[in-house]
């Protein structure tokens, strides 16, 4: 028998072929179950016809009279599917209920785990998934009493929607008197949505500064709980509650904060001055041997933008290599500190 291409496998069903479809169409057209007539009209072997009818009956595509097995008729595929789907759907509902019960039973250990982690003192927790991280940060913000500080090395990458959500999370903290400090890269001063966010948050009492280079993303609540990103670039985080490690991260932030400048948009500060500062930083990082990807991260700009800056600098200096660019910059006095950040 020519089975033809496989049309699909369904639990409880066999594999259908062209013969099955031809038999089924004959039954639907003649509205009766007559194996001998099917075999004769379609030129099929009687044994193949009987096997096909058996498959169609098992698939509920053909209904037979229990009292008269030789009589029957074709059933619409939708009706057959509904009959077959009933037990499957019931099993799915049963499995879903088991999953619900499993999660509910395990959730009763959540508070015990949190209390145990906090009591352990040297706590370091790795969490995965953006939603989990947001939930933990929301809880930390709700419990925060004194201060929050954060380092946003990719400040200019954040979308307007993300910045609006950030402002709404900041608002309750600021309204209850929590001190909020945020470090941005200098490139954020060119980003209009970030400028709008900083202006609105500053009116509520937040403090914002910018620096040429930032050490990485960091959020600390009350100098007790710190959030760091995972090194694999995923949306997870490392939650640190160990006091000595948190104190070190706080000191790292304070050093960067003291050297940073009060946030000002590029136009008000002077586009030319901002551009010079960015170029000087890029030259210094190139001289230190950093690759394009690392420079982009340190400056809070996209890799494409960083490479465009590097190409422009080398073109202006007439340099064919990064070494030549560094030497030419030194001769031109472009690596001097100039006005500085603050």
């Amino acid at each position: 028998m020519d089975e033809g291409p496989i049309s699909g496998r369904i639990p409880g069903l066999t594999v259908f072929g062209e013969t099955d479809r031809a038999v089924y169409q004959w039954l639907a057209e003649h509205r009766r179950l007559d194996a001998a007539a099917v075999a004769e009209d379609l030129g099929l072997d009687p044994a193949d016809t009987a096997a096909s009818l058996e498959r169609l009956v098992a698939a509920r595509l053909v209904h037979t009279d229990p009292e008269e097995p030789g009589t029957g008729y074709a059933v619409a595929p939708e009706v057959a599917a509904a009959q077959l789907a009933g037990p499957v759907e019931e099993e799915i509902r049963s499995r879903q209920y088991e999953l619900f019960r499993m999660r509910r039973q395990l959730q009763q250990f959540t508070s015990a785990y949190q209390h145990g982690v906090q009591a352990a003192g040297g706590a370091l927790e790795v969490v995965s998934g953006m939603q989990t991280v947001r939930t933990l940060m929301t809880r930390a913000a709700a419990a925060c009493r004194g201060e929050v500080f954060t380092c946003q090395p990719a400040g200019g990458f954040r979308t307007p929607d993300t910045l609006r959500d950030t402002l709404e999370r900041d608002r309750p903290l600021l309204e209850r008197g929590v001190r909020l400090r945020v470090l941005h890269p200098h490139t954020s001063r060119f980003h209009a949505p970030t400028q709008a966010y900083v202006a609105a948050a500053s009116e509520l009492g937040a403090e914002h500064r910018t620096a040429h280079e930032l050490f990485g993303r960091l959020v600390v609540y009350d100098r007790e709980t710190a959030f760091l990103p995972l090194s694999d670039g995923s949306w997870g985080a490392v939650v640190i509650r160990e006091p000595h490690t948190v104190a070190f991260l706080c000191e790292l932030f304070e050093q960067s904060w003291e050297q940073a400048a009060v946030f000002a948009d590029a136009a008000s500060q002077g586009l030319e001055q901002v551009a010079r500062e960015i170029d000087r930083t890029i030259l210094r990082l190139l001289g230190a041997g950093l690759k394009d990807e690392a420079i982009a991260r340190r400056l809070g700009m996209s890799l494409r933008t960083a490479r465009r800056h590097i190409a422009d600098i080398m073109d202006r200096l007439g340099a064919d290599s990064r070494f030549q660019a560094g030497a030419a910059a030194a001769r031109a006095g472009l690596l001097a500190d100039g006005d500085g950040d603050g």
Side-chain angles (χ1 to χ4, degrees):
M1 179 177 65
D2 177 20
E3 289 294 333
I6 295 176
S7 61
R9 292 182 180 272
I10 305 173
L13 301 183
T14 187
V15 179
F16 298 118
E18 293 298 330
T19 296
D20 300 311
R21 284 186 283 274
V23 171
Y24 176 75
Q25 183 173 329
W26 190 98
L27 296 176
E29 179 180 351
H30 293 83
R31 299 179 181 275
R32 73 179 193 276
L33 179 60
D34 188 335
V38 170
E40 181 178 354
D41 287 356
L42 298 180
L44 299 175
D45 181 83
D48 290 342
T49 302
S52 178
L53 288 171
E54 184 178 348
R55 286 191 293 270
L56 293 171
V57 169
R60 310 294 175 88
L61 287 167
V62 172
H63 175 76
T64 59
D65 189 334
E67 298 181 358
E68 298 183 47
T71 62
Y73 52 88
V75 177
E78 294 82 3
V79 176
Q83 293 177 354
L84 289 173
V88 177
E89 290 174 342
E90 179 60 32
E91 183 178 355
I92 291 174
R93 285 192 293 269
S94 176
R95 293 292 187 181
Q96 288 176 332
Y97 179 67
E98 289 180 15
L99 287 173
F100 168 77
R101 289 182 62 249
M102 180 191 307
R103 291 193 176 102
R104 188 175 61 180
Q105 287 176 344
L106 294 178
Q107 283 174 352
Q108 64 183 307
F109 294 95
T110 300
S111 60
Y113 173 78
Q114 292 175 345
H115 290 147
V117 167
Q118 293 174 358
L124 186 149
E125 180 181 6
V126 178
V127 295
S128 59
M130 181 187 298
Q131 190 57 48
T132 303
V133 174
R134 284 181 174 175
T135 299
L136 291 175
M137 293 184 74
T138 299
R139 291 176 181 171
C144 186
R145 305 175 303 277
E147 67 173 328
V148 179
F149 52 78
T150 176
C151 181
Q152 295 288 348
F157 291 169
R158 293 189 288 174
T159 65
D161 288 342
T162 299
L163 290 167
R164 279 194 292 269
D165 291 343
T166 300
L167 181 62
E168 290 308 307
R169 289 197 298 270
D170 293 346
R171 190 184 303 275
L173 288 165
L174 294 166
E175 288 179 345
R176 65 172 186 264
V178 173
R179 186 187 185 191
L180 173 62
R181 291 183 290 165
V182 185
L183 272 173
H184 305 265
H186 272 341
T187 49
S188 295
R189 293 180 289 181
F190 292 94
H191 191 243
T194 301
Q195 295 171 8
Y197 156 71
V198 171
S202 297
E203 288 185 0
L204 296 173
E207 302 170 56
H208 293 262
R209 294 186 181 184
T210 66
H212 292 302
E213 304 172 55
L214 295 177
F215 50 82
R217 190 176 304 278
L218 168 70
V219 183
V220 179
Y221 296 91
D222 278 337
R223 298 180 178 264
E224 295 175 354
T225 306
F227 288 79
L228 295 174
L230 297 182
S231 60
D232 60 8
S234 67
W235 291 104
V238 179
V239 186
I240 302 173
R241 301 180 181 87
E242 197 282 314
H244 300 287
T245 306
V246 174
F248 172 81
L249 294 172
C250 293
E251 181 62 25
L252 186 63
F253 176 87
E254 293 293 354
Q255 291 179 8
S256 296
W257 182 260
E258 290 301 321
Q259 298 172 7
V262 175
F263 191 104
D265 64 78
S268 66
Q269 190 178 40
L271 291 171
E272 185 176 351
Q273 177 186 342
V274 174
R276 283 200 307 269
E277 292 173 352
I278 292 175
D279 287 353
R280 187 168 59 246
T281 303
I282 290 176
L283 283 166
R284 188 170 68 253
L285 296 177
L286 285 173
L290 271 68
K291 295 183 178 180
D292 296 352
E293 293 80 359
I295 292 174
R297 286 196 301 270
R298 295 276 284 270
L299 294 178
M301 61 176 61
S302 68
L303 178 59
R304 181 178 179 180
T305 300
R307 284 175 171 164
R308 188 171 65 247
H309 275 286
I310 294 169
D312 290 343
I313 291 171
M314 293 180 67
D315 183 63
R316 291 200 305 271
L317 294 173
D320 296 324
S321 68
R322 297 185 177 200
F323 177 79
Q324 290 180 357
R331 288 195 302 270
L334 299 179
L335 298 179
D337 290 338
D339 296 333
D341 295 344

